[in-house]
């Protein structure tokens, strides 16, 4: 399955060169610092790598979905899940919500700078008491004559400390579950927003925040879409988020396998390179086949998504299988390195840690199975 044309390949080459020049030499420092520098956003934006699918009138390039696929794949192949998460958190989450559901005025105000990387955003849904169970969030947005007053807290938010704006899910009707959720855009500079960085197992280069909102006032115009439709918007966009996570997981798996093959061709034991041992060769054959099959499936879903089909079930399947495969690939690849695999000097240690988030973020594997079961067994439609 090939979803890429000649112009996509040119974009990929330009992005790859850019990453090798502007990101790879510094990525270890950014991993230690727990964040990426602000300057990299505008460099990304200036090169036209952000907002590829957003209309030119809002500062984007008006291109098709494979460009966003390439952005995800290439940022997933530089051994920093955190860097990729930061970019995708802005490009495929915050910006997409704004673009799909925001008013013309909000889009005109925020999207051009977002596409240029002069500002970047985050999506804040998860709360300390509600992750998988989105409908149970408690952050409230009380409507007044002048605007909304937001109170509550969020956790695990990618780009949550440093982003310039936040797309926040809050309850406009506290008596309702899913039917009472709305989305809002909060400028970072408004009084009442506090953020602190969380210390994580992996994804070190992305800032992940705990947020609190205390009497945060926003004008009515900062409501995204319609009141009480937020849950529906989140569910609708989960398909894209899950597809992006699936694509990233497979790209990272491919990268880990190639890196391992290189090592295995050089490492010797019992007088020969370890890539000559049949047991390891068969393991490689198995992983390479599974990656290839999953990649082909994911591309098929990318095509259907780009053509406007409903792919909720397929995206959940792609996310479930790709992220679980990635964990398996990283575990087995680390084993190929023996003791060196356990050392931070070798890239595979970080790949192993970063992969672990895949089966948790954007809906856990358990939630994916629940969703798929409902669609397959009970014939529920989303
Ligand atoms: C590094 C990182 C970055 C993140 N970035 C963002 C972000 O940018 N924005 C955002 O809003 N969120 C973000 N998240 C949050 C992420 O989406 C949630 O962690 C995830 O949805 C799980 O929610 P939870 O952590 O509350 O786990 P819980 O919902 O408490 O789940 C705990 C366990 O119970 C299981 N479980 C729960 N319900 C069921 C069920 N019905 N059936 C079977 N098992 C169940 C889960 O699968 C899991 O194993 C991020 C998380 C991390 C770790």
């Amino acid at each position: 399955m090939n979803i890429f044309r000649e112009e996509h390949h040119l974009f990929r080459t330009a992005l790859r060169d850019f990453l090798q020049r502007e990101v790879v030499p510094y990525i270890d420092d950014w991993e230690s610092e727990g964040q990426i520098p602000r300057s990299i956003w505008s460099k990304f934006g200036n090169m036209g790598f952000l907002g590829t699918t957003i209309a030119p009138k809002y500062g984007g390039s008006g291109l098709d979905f494979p460009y966003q696929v390439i952005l995800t794949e290439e940022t997933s192949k530089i051994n920093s899940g955190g860097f990729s998460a930061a970019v995708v958190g802005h490009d495929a989450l915050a910006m997409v919500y704004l673009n799909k559901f925001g008013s013309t005025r909000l889009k005109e105000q925020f999207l051009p700078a977002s596409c240029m990387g002069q500002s970047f955003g985050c999506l804040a849904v998860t709360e300390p008491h509600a992750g998988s169970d989105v409908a149970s969030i408690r952050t409230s947005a009380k409507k007044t004559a002048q605007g909304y007053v937001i109170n509550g807290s969020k956790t695990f938010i990618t780009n949550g400390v440093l982003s310039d704006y936040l797309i926040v899910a809050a309850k406009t009707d506290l008596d309702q579950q899913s039917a009472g959720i709305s989305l809002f855009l909060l400028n970072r500079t408004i009084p009442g927003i506090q953020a602190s960085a969380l210390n994580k197992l992996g994804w070190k280069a992305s800032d992940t925040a705990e947020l609190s909102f205390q009497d945060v006032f926003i004008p009515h115009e900062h409501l995204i879409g319609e009141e009480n439709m937020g849950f529906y918007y989140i569910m609708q966009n989960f398909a894209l988020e899950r597809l992006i996570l699936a694509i990233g997981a497979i790209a990272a798996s491919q990268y880990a396998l190639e890196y391992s093959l290189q090592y295995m061709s050089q490492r010797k034991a019992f007088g020969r390179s370890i890539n000559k041992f049949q047991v390891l060769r068969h393991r490689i054959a198995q992983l390479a086949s599974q990656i290839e099959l999953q990649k082909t499936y994911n591309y098929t879903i990318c095509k259907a998504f780009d053509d406007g089909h409903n792919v909720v079930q397929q995206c959940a399947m792609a996310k479930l299988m790709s992220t679980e495969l990635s964990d398996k690939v990283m575990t087995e690849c680390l084993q190929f390195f023996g003791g060196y695999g356990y050392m931070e000097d070798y890239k595979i240690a970080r790949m192993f840690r970063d992969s672990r988030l895949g089966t948790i973020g954007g809906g856990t594997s358990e939630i994916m199975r629940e969703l798929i079961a409902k669609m397959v067994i009970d014939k529920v439609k989303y």
Side-chain angles (χ1 to χ4, degrees):
M1 179 78 193
N2 181 18
I3 56 168
F4 305 112
R5 300 184 302 272
E6 184 56 31
E7 55 269 34
H8 293 128
H9 294 306
L10 294 173
F11 179 82
R12 189 188 289 280
T13 306
L15 175 57
R16 214 177 256 175
D17 290 349
F18 175 83
L19 290 169
Q20 287 304 321
R21 205 174 54 247
E22 300 286 350
V23 176
V24 172
Y26 314 105
I27 202 68
D28 289 350
D29 292 340
W30 300 348
E31 285 271 318
S32 311
E33 289 158 15
Q35 60 185 65
I36 63 175
R38 178 159 277 277
S39 56
I40 196 68
W41 288 107
S42 49
K43 286 184 185 176
F44 246 78
N46 285 337
M47 291 292 293
F49 297 141
L50 298 173
T52 49
T53 58
I54 286 173
K57 66 177 170 180
Y58 298 121
S61 313
L63 299 167
D64 57 11
F65 183 53
Y67 285 91
Q68 215 167 19
V69 173
I70 293 170
L71 181 72
T72 307
E73 287 185 331
E74 292 306 317
T75 56
S76 300
K77 288 182 172 181
I78 55 165
N79 197 20
S80 175
F83 181 82
S84 187
V87 172
V88 166
H90 171 54
D91 193 73
L93 292 180
M95 266 209 277
V96 168
Y97 276 89
L98 201 48
N99 185 47
K100 256 187 176 168
F101 311 114
S103 64
T104 304
R105 191 168 157 191
L106 273 185
K107 290 200 265 196
E108 283 171 352
Q109 216 178 332
F110 287 91
L111 282 178
S114 293
C115 293
M116 287 306 289
Q118 289 156 355
S119 71
F120 66 102
C122 69
L123 174 71
V125 177
T126 306
E127 300 189 354
H129 303 282
S132 303
D133 185 7
V134 174
S136 294
I137 61 165
R138 296 179 189 171
T139 295
S140 63
K142 192 165 183 275
K143 197 170 187 174
T144 67
Q146 293 78 28
Y148 294 90
V149 179
I150 299 190
N151 280 287
S153 57
K154 297 283 170 186
T155 195
F156 306 147
I157 307 306
T158 303
N159 296 338
V161 177
L162 299 169
S163 61
D164 301 288
Y165 60 90
L166 308 90
I167 310 289
V168 174
K171 284 258 168 88
T172 19
D173 185 344
L174 285 168
D175 296 330
Q176 296 286 335
Q177 283 286 93
S178 56
I181 296 175
S182 303
L183 294 181
F184 298 93
L185 187 145
L186 275 58
N187 250 322
R188 172 72 63 179
T189 47
I190 339 169
I193 305 176
Q194 290 214 320
S196 54
L198 294 165
N199 189 13
K200 310 184 290 295
L201 171 72
W203 276 25
K204 296 275 188 189
S206 78
D207 95 67
T208 307
E210 198 157 43
L211 294 159
S212 83
F213 308 116
Q214 239 184 344
D215 293 330
V216 175
F217 173 80
I218 52 163
H220 288 134
E221 298 77 55
H222 281 214
L223 169 71
I224 295 177
E226 285 176 45
E227 218 177 72
N228 297 328
M229 286 294 285
F231 186 81
Y232 168 76
Y233 300 151
I234 293 166
M235 292 302 133
Q236 205 182 332
N237 212 53
F238 260 147
L240 169 66
E241 182 176 351
R242 288 168 183 164
L243 190 52
I244 290 281
L245 283 163
I247 291 159
I250 292 306
S253 301
Q254 219 174 347
Y255 178 69
L257 199 65
E258 280 160 19
Y259 175 61
S260 303
L261 287 176
Q262 224 177 2
Y263 178 80
M264 292 167 82
S265 67
Q266 285 154 14
R267 177 70 176 172
K268 293 212 164 31
F270 300 93
R272 46 190 181 147
S273 337
I274 62 169
N275 67 4
K276 296 287 186 278
F277 295 121
Q278 193 182 47
V279 66
L280 303 189
R281 295 170 72 83
H282 284 192
R283 235 177 260 167
I284 290 283
Q286 182 78 19
L287 296 177
S289 309
Q290 284 178 288
I291 291 171
E292 191 57 35
L293 285 178
Q294 193 60 50
K295 191 161 92 166
T296 304
Y297 178 77
N298 292 353
Y299 282 169
T300 308
I301 307 311
C302 287
K303 171 87 176 62
F305 175 83
D306 207 19
D307 290 344
H309 296 291
N310 180 333
V311 282
V312 169
Q313 180 181 323
Q314 290 80 357
C315 289
M317 289 172 163
K319 199 254 175 191
L320 172 67
M321 301 310 283
S322 304
T323 55
E324 294 203 344
L325 175 59
S326 170
D327 267 1
K328 181 179 166 198
V329 170
M330 300 310 171
T331 302
E332 297 213 2
C333 284
L334 193 148
Q335 189 73 14
F336 295 140
F337 285 75
Y340 294 102
Y342 206 67
M343 299 296 123
E344 287 292 338
D345 293 342
Y346 284 77
K347 292 180 183 178
I348 197 71
R350 188 186 299 161
M351 292 182 206
F352 176 79
R353 278 200 308 268
D354 284 353
S355 169
R356 196 61 192 81
L357 195 270
T359 61
I360 299 170
T364 64
S365 279
E366 290 77 13
I367 295 298
M368 292 308 99
R369 288 191 170 88
E370 275 297 302
L371 180 66
I372 296 163
K374 277 187 200 159
M375 298 188 84
V376 171
I377 303 167
D378 307 328
K379 311 293 178 207
V380 174
K381 299 247 182 287
Y382 292 99

